[in-house]
Amino acid sequence: MEIQAQLGFCGGNSGDPIFTEDFGSGTTDGPALPAGTTTYNFTTGTPADGDYTISSTTNYYDWLSIQDHTPGDSNGKSFIVNASFTAGEFYQRQVTGLCENTTYEFSSWLINLQRSGSCEGNSIPVNVRFQIWDETDTNMLAQGDTGSITAIGTIEWKQYALVFKTEPGQTSVILKMRNNSNGGCGNDLAIDDILFRSCGDNVTVATPANEARLTVCEDQGGVSRTLTATPDSSVFNSHVYQWQQSTDQQIWTDIPGENSASLNTSAVTATTYFRTKIAEDIVNVNNDLCNVVSDVFEITVLPIPAAPVSNGVVTICEGELGTLSVNTQNLYSINWYDAATGGNLVLSDNRNLETGIAGTYYAEANSTEIECASTTRTAVTLTVNPLPQIPDDLSTFLCEDSSTTLDAEVENVTYRWSTGETTQLIDVTEPGDYDVIITNTNGCSATRNFTVEQIDLPQIDKIVSDGPSIVVSTSNNGNFEYSLDGISFQPSPVFDAVAGGFYTIYVQNNTDCGVVTQDFYHLVIQKFFTPNGDNVNDTFEPDGLEVFNTVTISIFDRYGKLLKFANTNSTSWDGTFQGERLPNDDYWYLITADSVQFKGHFSLKR
């Protein structure tokens, strides 16, 4: 973890490094620093108090085992110091090639190599003083102390810096590092990435409209702007300028004669970058070791996009959605219109247009930054084919134990029935829902549905005589019709005023799904008779017994007393017993006709 602790960093804009020391890389310790750089002893092994080494490892004693600070180093080395028992200077070197009357920033990265809790908790902290002296070593230009860097047990390189200014005529300085603490248990450190670079103002560049950059379209022709450099005067007391331009921000070219705070650019037809170099002294402005540069003002000229490339016409069926699409470079967006020029915007910023409306649509490529559109639009057509014209869904019926034919009723198409069949007509023998997918020559499909309901044959449950009426009951329901002759049918299951005798009963569904029959002997027995001598209903006499060969009839009172017994030749009763007229009451009968018996009761009313 890198933590900055400011002793005095450049408050403005730092220039490019003009001196660096990262102590190299490799697995072999050394080489030793040049003579006069330090009074400490160089060692290729474990450094004792007052020793130093240049190494890619710090795995000594119980120190932290760390990598150097330089980013990207492989086996990078650092300057490793085991402090002397006596405080004092442990490093100095001369830095040359500086510019006179110029502000610089010196910086270096340090770390305490002791682990937390070392020396029984009494580890001596690291405390280093940085000093910058003039080249005569008699005039100190700046100094600053790191303060106590205690052992915290984690790898935290910290950067420290000093800002100083060279004097007129001065082109080199002497860097010194002093150990403010005595050695012993602790005060063991590593140093890496010593750096010198110029320090100047932060300088912004903008137009009178306060634009910090400009983007234009190629079809706007050459554009120009007035650029103004504004230093923050955080470092420089005076300002000298040299404007530059570049096409790649790598190679910069001075613009002759442009040495003021403002620049009127030439007409720009291709992307161009502008900046200015700044120094306090005209002698230094063209020396990159002595100046700083402003922010970059970019005039970006966007090329007119080529018209997008169609991915082809799209054909869909009525009721579907089709996706029209085009390709273009990734840096462009696509807008869709309903006309080749002008027209209405249909969809913006999408390479795909989804619609179900037939027609030709037009795709235009455009910049994502500004309005900079292709000069032509690409036509993409959507064709919508009609669906097959099919009749309405159909409900039909199926007679029990039979089949019915379903007809798609559309010709010159293909068929796919839910049964798996592929013909126009199919026969089905089961009730239920059926459908057929009908596809025309355009490949468009529609579905016709059929509901088939089974019509069951009537099931005769029973047939009874109710006086002169015949009543038919069925065990299932339906739109049934009833007949006694198989010709004339009625919707009622009751036949009224039917003479006694043998009949065939016919029952059918009104959908002509077949007839069921059952033979029935209709015996008409009065519910009462009135033997009062008016010759109307004076006797109890069942109607219909004449069809039988042998008939017996027995009549009983409510107590079971036999009142009348007769045979085929005498099947009536006049309401007397042994010549005596019997009173009004209910009486019972038992009729045996061949092998069939009929039982019931009737009333005698006088």
Side-chain angles (χ1 to χ4, degrees):
M1 177 178 179
E2 298 179 357
I3 299 177
Q4 289 190 343
Q6 294 186 1
L7 274 72
F9 287 90
C10 177
N13 186 14
S14 298
D16 295 331
I18 59 176
F19 170 83
T20 58
E21 174 61 86
D22 63 6
F23 300 102
S25 62
T27 57
T28 302
D29 292 350
L33 297 174
T37 302
T38 180
T39 58
Y40 278 35
N41 299 315
F42 172 73
T43 180
T44 57
T46 301
D49 288 330
D51 288 349
Y52 79 94
T53 187
I54 307 295
S55 179
S56 60
T57 181
T58 60
N59 193 22
Y60 308 118
Y61 306 109
D62 62 346
W63 292 355
L64 296 172
S65 180
I66 63 171
Q67 294 180 344
D68 76 332
H69 172 267
T70 308
D73 258 4
S74 176
N75 295 315
K77 299 179 182 180
S78 57
F79 175 30
I80 300 168
V81 178
N82 189 337
S84 172
F85 286 107
T86 303
E89 181 181 308
F90 65 88
Y91 179 88
Q92 82 165 9
R93 73 164 298 157
Q94 188 171 24
V95 179
T96 61
L98 304 182
C99 301
E100 61 178 303
N101 199 30
T102 300
T103 301
Y104 288 94
E105 176 192 83
F106 151 77
S107 65
S108 183
W109 292 84
L110 274 71
I111 186 171
N112 187 336
L113 295 175
Q114 288 288 329
R115 296 181 182 274
S116 177
S118 298
C119 306
E120 299 181 351
N122 296 312
S123 174
I124 301 170
V126 171
N127 192 326
V128 176
R129 174 172 295 172
F130 301 110
Q131 294 179 334
I132 306 295
W133 292 77
D134 70 0
E135 57 194 357
T136 66
D137 200 16
T138 59
N139 183 21
M140 186 171 63
L141 304 179
Q143 76 171 0
D145 295 335
T146 64
S148 294
I149 305 173
T150 58
I152 61 175
T154 57
I155 300 172
E156 293 186 4
W157 283 95
K158 295 182 181 180
Q159 188 182 24
Y160 302 88
L162 278 174
V163 175
F164 65 95
K165 186 174 183 178
T166 57
E167 298 176 345
Q170 182 181 2
T171 59
S172 67
V173 295
I174 298 172
L175 166 65
K176 295 182 181 181
M177 298 185 193
R178 175 183 175 85
N179 190 347
N180 289 334
S181 299
N182 295 325
C185 192
N187 198 9
D188 306 307
L189 68 152
I191 300 173
D192 202 6
D193 292 330
I194 300 172
L195 178 69
F196 281 78
R197 54 186 176 179
S198 60
C199 174
D201 291 349
N202 281 317
V203 184
T204 59
V205 176
T207 67
N210 205 31
E211 297 167 308
R213 67 188 303 271
L214 181 64
T215 301
V216 297
C217 187
E218 184 180 21
D219 63 2
Q220 292 181 242
V223 295
S224 61
R225 287 290 189 273
T226 297
L227 307 181
T228 299
T230 304
D232 65 0
S233 299
S234 60
V235 177
F236 292 164
N237 294 318
S238 59
H239 303 90
V240 180
Y241 303 89
Q242 174 58 63
W243 285 91
Q244 296 180 306
Q245 68 181 30
S246 172
T247 58
D248 58 6
Q249 296 197 80
Q250 302 297 317
I251 300 175
W252 290 90
T253 303
D254 290 348
I255 304 174
E258 297 296 342
N259 306 113
S260 67
S262 294
L263 168 70
N264 293 318
T265 71
S266 58
V268 173
T269 58
T271 297
T272 306
Y273 306 91
F274 296 91
R275 74 180 187 183
T276 182
K277 298 182 291 186
I278 299 183
E280 284 188 288
D281 192 309
I282 195 171
V283 175
N284 294 333
V285 72
N286 287 316
N287 186 339
D288 291 343
L289 300 180
C290 313
N291 61 33
V292 294
V293 294
S294 69
D295 293 342
V296 174
F297 189 94
E298 177 183 350
I299 299 180
T300 302
V301 179
L302 298 179
I304 298 174
V309 177
S310 170
N311 287 327
V313 299
V314 176
T315 300
I316 62 172
C317 294
E318 183 181 355
E320 297 177 346
L321 290 176
T323 301
L324 308 181
S325 64
V326 294
N327 285 324
T328 188
Q329 296 181 35
N330 289 334
L331 49 83
Y332 297 128
S333 65
I334 297 296
N335 297 327
W336 294 86
Y337 293 85
D338 59 5
T341 58
N344 299 305
L345 179 66
V346 177
L347 179 67
S348 62
D349 194 21
N350 200 315
R351 298 189 181 194
N352 301 316
L353 171 62
E354 186 176 68
T355 180
I357 302 174
T360 299
Y361 298 84
Y362 300 86
E364 176 185 273
N366 206 332
S367 168
T368 57
E369 298 181 61
I370 62 170
E371 181 64 26
C372 188
S374 56
T375 56
T376 60
R377 297 171 181 169
T378 300
V380 187
T381 300
L382 175 69
T383 300
V384 180
N385 288 325
L387 299 177
Q389 297 299 309
I390 62 174
D392 293 337
D393 293 346
L394 178 66
S395 293
T396 187
F397 65 87
L398 168 72
C399 294
E400 182 180 4
D401 297 327
S402 66
S403 66
T404 190
T405 299
L406 304 182
D407 186 353
E409 297 187 82
V410 184
E411 297 180 346
N412 300 320
V413 294
T414 61
Y415 314 90
R416 188 169 75 249
W417 290 86
S418 52
T419 61
E421 294 164 281
T422 58
T423 55
Q424 179 179 332
L425 289 79
I426 64 170
D427 293 328
V428 297
T429 59
E430 296 292 337
D433 294 326
Y434 297 85
D435 63 70
V436 58
I437 299 174
I438 299 171
T439 304
N440 61 22
T441 55
N442 290 322
C444 295
S445 300
T447 300
R448 189 181 187 198
N449 299 297
F450 297 83
T451 299
V452 178
E453 181 181 358
Q454 179 171 295
I455 304 300
D456 294 332
L457 287 172
Q459 297 175 8
I460 298 175
D461 181 30
K462 63 181 178 179
I463 304 172
V464 297
S465 296
D466 184 11
S469 299
I470 298 175
V471 181
V472 182
S473 299
T474 58
S475 60
N476 60 341
N477 297 320
N479 296 320
F480 299 147
E481 296 177 330
Y482 307 84
S483 175
L484 294 178
D485 58 9
I487 299 173
S488 299
F489 284 84
Q490 65 180 41
S492 172
V494 178
F495 298 95
D496 294 320
V498 181
F502 184 82
Y503 294 91
T504 298
I505 307 300
Y506 300 83
V507 184
Q508 69 177 18
N509 195 292
N510 63 5
T511 52
D512 195 25
C513 272
V515 180
V516 294
T517 62
Q518 183 171 314
D519 292 336
F520 176 69
Y521 177 71
H522 178 42
L523 179 62
V524 180
I525 300 176
Q526 301 115 296
K527 294 183 179 180
F528 66 91
F529 76 109
T530 57
N532 55 12
D534 62 0
N535 296 320
V536 177
N537 199 25
D538 279 340
T539 61
F540 172 76
E541 188 172 7
D543 177 29
L545 291 174
E546 64 274 4
V547 299
F548 294 99
N549 295 319
T550 303
V551 176
T552 62
I553 182 169
S554 301
I555 296 175
F556 307 88
D557 66 8
R558 66 175 54 252
Y559 304 107
K561 180 180 179 181
L562 180 64
L563 303 177
K564 167 76 175 180
F565 178 81
N567 56 26
T568 305
N569 297 322
S570 177
T571 57
S572 64
W573 181 50
D574 61 3
T576 65
F577 176 66
Q578 294 181 354
E580 297 291 334
R581 296 170 60 184
L582 296 178
N584 292 343
D585 204 349
D586 286 342
Y587 296 87
W588 276 255
Y589 62 85
L590 170 63
I591 299 173
T592 301
D594 292 342
S595 60
V596 181
Q597 285 190 340
F598 301 91
K599 296 179 181 180
H601 64 88
F602 60 94
S603 297
L604 185 155
K605 297 180 180 181
R606 294 191 183 277

